[in-house]
Amino acid sequence: MTEVRSAPVTVRTEGTVGHIVLNRPRALNAITTELGRALHDALVDLASRTRVVVIRGAEGNFSVGGDFRELERLRAQGPDAVRPLFENFARACAVIPDLPIPVVAAVEGYAMAGGFELMQACDIAVVRSDAELADNHVNFGQIPGGGGSQRLPRLAGRQRALGHLLGGEPLSGDEAAAWGLAYRSLPPETFEAGVQALAERIAGHDPAAVSGIKNLVHNGFELPLPDALAVELDAVVAHVTGDAAARGIAAFHRTTAKE
């Protein structure tokens, strides 16, 4: 009897919206070496043929983080065997800011450890109000390995980040939004419609403008404000003198002429 293995990540498109599903539901979408590699490749692929990507987990959970069964097996083989597990996942997270399209995390159920770190790496997160999120590495005597020790302080501030990382207590979707870790927290009954509406709204905007805004935010975030403003000035001059901006200005004139 041949064993049939499901792909760790599934990909589909709906118009100009791409969808990536972490597809290990029996393991609550725990992250493996193979899943990290597949996630990176799916992101790069969809970035070339869609206008926005939504990442979610299969069957109602985002991801509980690293797969401890695989980690235990790799540990027995030594550090060189363990490293690709973290490297592949780190590559998937790190490629997101460099993609020309926005990546939205649709977070429901559990988003723990690596799952919480993936959510932080995405450009935008929408969370269900009843989701349970945490960097709970410390609860199991571990330390973050997917960027949580670096991204969380930048998103939530040092006090909240250290309090959370060292305490290991879960956050609700509402709390995550209040901390600035998510764009919106939505109740279960409107979550799906809210995610879809946001993705379609982003996909409906001019791709050059969307890509330009995303690049400005990511590239300017770590710069001193005067330097970041200078980057923005150069970018807007280049943009408004291009064809994409000309089309937008013409559309604006047509709209106002009707009013």
Side-chain angles (χ1 to χ4, degrees), residues 216-217 219-233:
L216 281 171
V217 171
N219 294 336
F221 192 74
E222 298 299 325
L223 294 175
L225 183 58
D227 294 343
L229 291 172
V231 170
E232 182 189 73
L233 177 60

Side-chain angles (χ1 to χ4, degrees), residues 116-139:
F116 189 40
E117 291 172 310
L118 175 58
M119 170 187 146
Q120 294 169 51
C122 289
D123 297 309
I124 303 168
V126 179
V127 297
R128 259 179 60 152
S129 57
D130 59 352
E132 190 168 326
L133 310 94
D135 192 310
N136 58 346
H137 286 97
V138 74
N139 295 346

